Amino acid sequence: MHAASTFTRLRRRLHQRPLLADSLLAVASAGGYLGFYAVSAAVSDAVTLTWGQAGLMAIPFASIALRRTWLWGGIVLSLLVMAAAFFIGPLEDMAMDSGIGMFILTYTAAAYRPLPRALVAAAAIWVPVALFIQSAAFRGGDHVTSLLLTMLNCALAATVFWIGWVIRNRREHVVELSDRARFAEERQEALAAQAVADEQRRIARELHDVVAHHISVIGVMSEGAKRVLRTDPDAAEEALATVNQTARTALREMRDILTVLRQSRDEAGAADLEPQPTVDSLRALVAQTKDAGLPVRYTVRGEEYPLPTGVSLAVYRIVQEALTNTIKHAGPQARAGVVVDYGEAEFRISVGDSGHGAPVVSGFSGGHGLIGMRERATLYGGTLEAGPRPGGGYLVEARFPKNAHLQGVAR
């Protein structure tokens, strides 16, 4: 384990220092080739190796050290060494490296340069090599041998070039996959953050709707009970009973929400929770609002059809919030009306009142209700309009298109 960690650190350091890594490669290549040549000299009298020859044979490997930091410098150095070995007799031992450095430079060009530049670099290496080999034939060599040697070098160079090109494509593919994976991970994190934000807004809407409505009813009823406590004890007792029942309902709904938040999906599915309110629950909501002292008229228009659970819950919460605002701000003499319209082209819900906007009980204020209503409507492709009516009062109207209320409904 320690050895693997040491190797990983060494590899990382060499990757960050290409000149050092390529210099070590040049030394290793020269050492390996000279070692092989020394063994050949030991087993065969036809092969000789002196220290001078070894020094001259090691010179061409110096170009390998420049292969990544200065490729064209390495190419020029290789060609100069080859020319010196070709034209200067005492230096001919420099040409005995079998072109190992040139093959490595060819691989490097294909593996680290764009294809057009790599082809130019390869041609800059092997065209002069072919010319030198062929010129040797005209200086007294064998033309057939020179031709075969040229073809062999070109074939080997093409093979090395192809290997480098494949390695380059594979490396680019790995980089592309890494970029895609990083992009996917970043996108996943962004989606997760968006999901968390959406869930926080949903929870905020639920908590606001549950708390605001019930607390508003409790505030109105407790204020009324305080006013008639001495003059009409029976009315005060009835108001306090409504306060008690409303408080219990609020606690139960809050407990249901917290249970869903604390439990996992499977546990929440098995939890003993009450069903979410729907459009069918609006009559009970209207009755509760009447008990709080606000006269409300409930009207249904058109032929009823089923709504998806999400749309139905959104409609209920919009009406609940609108009636809560009416209780808080419409004034003591206000009256309200709830109209549910099952239209052919759209589903519409309207909540209007005849109030003047004066708050009934001080200390109860909103601010997020209208935003929550609009978000609920938009979530299912609907729209919401809210504002004062020309003849007085206030109107909240939500519309859901036909495709929204047909979504997910079995027919």
Side-chain angles (χ1 to χ4, degrees), residues 316-368:
Y316 179 89
R317 293 303 189 195
I318 290 172
V319 174
Q320 185 183 49
E321 176 62 24
L323 291 177
T324 300
N325 291 336
T326 300
I327 292 175
K328 291 191 292 184
H329 304 302
Q333 304 300 324
R335 308 177 70 85
V338 177
V339 178
V340 180
D341 188 356
Y342 291 88
E344 290 294 331
E346 63 181 8
F347 175 85
R348 181 169 59 90
I349 181 74
S350 303
V351 181
D353 63 63
S354 59
H356 52 74
V360 178
V361 182
S362 62
F364 293 91
S365 61
H368 300 288

Side-chain angles (χ1 to χ4, degrees), residues 269-287:
D272 185 15
L273 304 179
E274 290 190 356
Q276 291 279 18
T278 63
V279 174
D280 297 333
S281 307
L282 289 179
R283 296 183 186 276
L285 177 64
V286 168

Side-chain angles (χ1 to χ4, degrees), residues 298-323:
Y298 183 72
T299 305
V300 178
R301 298 175 181 172
E303 184 178 355
E304 296 186 16
Y305 43 72
L307 298 176
T309 304
V311 176
S312 191
L313 174 61
V315 170
Y316 179 89
R317 293 303 189 195
I318 290 172
V319 174
Q320 185 183 49
E321 176 62 24
L323 291 177

Side-chain angles (χ1 to χ4, degrees), residues 120-396:
V120 171
I125 295 172
W126 295 104
V127 169
V129 170
L131 293 177
F132 277 121
I133 294 175
Q134 292 301 315
S135 64
F138 290 100
R139 294 173 59 185
D142 187 353
H143 290 278
V144 176
T145 302
S146 298
L147 180 60
L148 291 176
L149 187 59
T150 300
M151 295 176 61
L152 176 62
N153 277 278
C154 290
L156 291 175
T159 302
V160 170
F161 187 92
W162 177 79
I163 293 174
W165 183 72
V166 170
I167 294 297
R168 180 177 184 272
N169 287 340
R170 181 172 298 180
R171 184 172 59 249
E172 290 179 348
H173 183 62
V174 171
V175 172
E176 181 182 358
L177 291 178
S178 300
D179 292 341
R180 288 183 180 179
R182 183 171 60 255
F183 175 77
E185 184 177 357
E186 293 174 354
R187 179 175 175 80
Q188 186 67 25
E189 292 177 355
L191 291 176
Q194 182 64 36
V196 170
D198 292 342
E199 185 65 11
Q200 288 176 340
R201 285 194 294 269
R202 186 188 68 81
I203 294 171
R205 285 196 303 265
E206 292 295 327
L207 290 176
H208 176 273
D209 292 342
V210 170
V211 173
H213 176 74
H214 293 303
I215 296 300
S216 296
V217 173
I218 291 173
V220 171
M221 297 304 294
S222 61
E223 182 73 13
K226 183 177 68 173
R227 290 178 178 178
V228 300
L229 182 61
R230 297 182 183 276
T231 60
D232 192 350
D234 292 337
E237 181 179 0
E238 183 179 353
L240 291 176
T242 302
V243 168
N244 181 270
Q245 180 182 0
T246 304
R248 291 177 180 273
T249 302
L251 287 174
R252 184 172 61 252
E253 293 188 15
M254 288 286 293
R255 185 168 54 248
D256 289 346
I257 294 175
L258 294 177
T259 300
V260 172
L261 294 178
R262 289 171 178 169
Q263 294 179 340
S264 66
R265 181 178 298 180
D266 295 337
E267 293 173 340
D272 185 15
L273 304 179
E274 290 190 356
Q276 291 279 18
T278 63
V279 174
D280 297 333
S281 307
L282 289 179
R283 296 183 186 276
L285 177 64
V286 168
Q288 184 185 46
T289 306
K290 289 180 179 179
D291 293 339
L294 175 66
V296 183
R297 180 179 180 181
Y298 183 72
T299 305
V300 178
R301 298 175 181 172
E303 184 178 355
E304 296 186 16
Y305 43 72
L307 298 176
T309 304
V311 176
S312 191
L313 174 61
V315 170
Y316 179 89
R317 293 303 189 195
I318 290 172
V319 174
Q320 185 183 49
E321 176 62 24
L323 291 177
T324 300
N325 291 336
T326 300
I327 292 175
K328 291 191 292 184
H329 304 302
Q333 304 300 324
R335 308 177 70 85
V338 177
V339 178
V340 180
D341 188 356
Y342 291 88
E344 290 294 331
E346 63 181 8
F347 175 85
R348 181 169 59 90
I349 181 74
S350 303
V351 181
D353 63 63
S354 59
H356 52 74
V360 178
V361 182
S362 62
F364 293 91
S365 61
H368 300 288
L370 185 60
I371 297 175
M373 287 190 289
R374 182 168 288 111
E375 286 181 348
R376 288 185 182 278
T378 304
L379 185 62
Y380 296 98
T383 59
L384 185 133
E385 296 180 359
R389 294 194 295 185
Y394 200 85
L395 176 66
V396 175

